[in-house]
Amino acid sequence: MVQQDGTALAQEDDSPIARELADLTARRKALEEADVQLTGHTRVLTVSNQKGGVGKTTTTVNLAAALAERGAKVLVIDLDPQGNASTALGVPHTADTPSVYDVLIDEFPLADIIQVSPESPNLLCAPSTIHLAGAEIELVSQVAREHRLRVAVDDYLASNGGEMDFILIDCPPSLGLLTINAFTAASELLIPIQCEYYALEGLSQLLGTVRMIQKHLNPRLVLSTIMLTMYDGRTRLAQQVADEVREHFPKEVLDTIIPRSVRVSEAPSFGQSVLAYDGQSAGAIAYREAAVEMIRRDSASNERGA
């Protein structure tokens, strides 16, 4: 198109794809410029939601990788017998591998089973094996069965004091003894909630269980973080669910929303986090933003408490 004075009228590409690319570029630049400071104390978070398929393991692995990328020393404890977190971190977890099962049942020191993920020297994993599937039954007859993981974590931190910034515990999608051990070992609860129908269903039951844990087993446990996952910006439903969760939990919900992403789904089959698999993708950027937000929130609360 040409104006009367003969100048060419600039035609800017305003397509959805162009807008998305411009947004991703701006977010990458903001992340590069972001300055975050670790507080130096260890945060132990259990990642749990009894509803399956909400992205618990995906959240645990990718958040851990993003925190490690920021210089944090992170340990992922894989409490799910399926061992998906161990797979995604590229850590061997065959039947004869020393695992969380040995810690819970045979009282192995946690340090004896921890492996370093090939992704980063800052990223450690206590793997799960198929033996963990029978641990629920075996724990029933054990002394202090609800506190086994807490004792192991406390002993590990006592002998590795100051080294670990985050411990993330990945739970199975149930409220059995394994999950109760995770609740008892942690001081914080991180709940991933998918931005889909039925997202809040079962959450009241989970929070009821948390209140029971607080009352009888672990009074220091708090719901500190809710992460919205599998967000599809093309649907009104996703926005409605996000708004509803924010209305109920205004302080706990992260501003960062994790989008539904093919790259995020593909990464575990290559034994990688999405940051290693495709670090420029929307999913990888979102998890990096979530990690920055969590560190900043922790620093802010630390300053208020000082």
Side-chain angles (χ1 to χ4, degrees), residues 144-148 150 154 175-186 209-221:
R145 61 192 181 187
E146 299 95 348
H147 297 276
R148 294 244 154 178
R150 180 187 61 79
D154 287 351
L175 292 176
L177 274 172
L178 290 175
T179 302
I180 289 172
N181 262 272
F183 285 158
T184 307
T209 302
V210 171
R211 282 190 289 273
M212 286 179 61
I213 298 288
Q214 289 168 329
K215 184 177 180 181
H216 298 290
L217 295 170
N218 184 9
R220 64 200 172 105
L221 181 66

Side-chain angles (χ1 to χ4, degrees), residues 29-296:
K29 188 175 180 184
L31 280 168
E32 287 169 8
E33 295 171 354
D35 182 29
V36 292
Q37 297 295 324
L38 296 162
T39 60
H41 72 270
T42 306
R43 295 176 65 184
V44 185
L45 298 98
T46 283
V47 183
S48 180
N49 190 329
Q50 71 200 54
K51 190 174 184 301
V54 299
K56 284 187 300 296
T57 300
T58 302
T59 296
T60 305
V61 167
N62 291 310
L63 185 59
L67 290 166
E69 192 178 76
R70 280 281 163 182
K73 191 88 174 207
V74 187
L75 168 63
V76 173
I77 298 178
D78 190 353
L79 262 194
D80 190 339
Q82 295 179 80
N84 291 336
S86 307
T87 300
L89 291 172
V91 167
H93 58 107
T94 54
D96 56 349
T97 304
S99 70
V100 175
Y101 171 86
D102 300 297
V103 171
L104 295 176
I105 304 301
D106 297 325
E107 299 185 20
F108 275 38
L110 196 54
D112 288 0
I113 69 157
I114 288 174
Q115 300 182 44
V116 180
S117 168
E119 201 159 305
S120 165
N122 283 342
L123 189 52
L124 311 178
C125 178
S128 159
T129 62
I130 193 64
H131 297 305
L132 202 56
E136 292 269 8
I137 299 167
E138 293 182 60
L139 279 169
V140 171
S141 60
Q142 298 282 348
V143 176
R145 61 192 181 187
E146 299 95 348
H147 297 276
R148 294 244 154 178
L149 185 62
R150 180 187 61 79
V151 170
V153 169
D154 287 351
D155 287 349
Y156 177 74
L157 290 176
S159 50
N160 296 272
E163 285 186 19
M164 204 58 59
D165 295 296
F166 289 88
I167 296 178
L168 302 181
I169 306 172
D170 184 35
C171 293
S174 65
L175 292 176
L177 274 172
L178 290 175
T179 302
I180 289 172
N181 262 272
F183 285 158
T184 307
S187 53
E188 298 180 50
L189 175 62
L190 189 161
I191 303 179
I193 296 181
Q194 64 186 135
C195 296
E196 293 183 358
Y197 194 54
Y198 294 138
L200 296 176
E201 189 178 82
L203 186 57
S204 58
Q205 186 183 347
L206 175 61
L207 294 177
T209 302
V210 171
R211 282 190 289 273
M212 286 179 61
I213 298 288
Q214 289 168 329
K215 184 177 180 181
H216 298 290
L217 295 170
N218 184 9
R220 64 200 172 105
L221 181 66
V222 294
L223 169 56
S224 65
T225 313
I226 292 177
M227 186 180 290
L228 298 170
T229 64
M230 301 183 183
Y231 182 83
D232 187 345
R234 298 169 299 179
T235 67
R236 286 183 61 193
L237 175 63
Q239 185 60 56
Q240 288 168 354
V241 170
D243 291 344
E244 190 175 350
V245 176
R246 289 191 193 283
E247 186 182 332
H248 283 86
F249 304 97
K251 293 180 181 176
E252 293 82 3
V253 182
L254 293 179
D255 295 331
T256 305
I257 294 178
I258 309 301
R260 186 173 285 282
S261 165
V262 174
R263 289 291 191 235
V264 170
S265 304
E266 288 174 345
S269 62
F270 291 88
Q272 294 178 316
S273 72
V274 70
L275 279 73
Y277 178 63
D278 186 354
Q280 302 303 308
S281 65
I285 290 169
Y287 279 111
R288 286 191 178 102
E289 289 171 336
V292 167
E293 187 177 350
M294 282 185 67
I295 294 171
R296 281 179 170 164

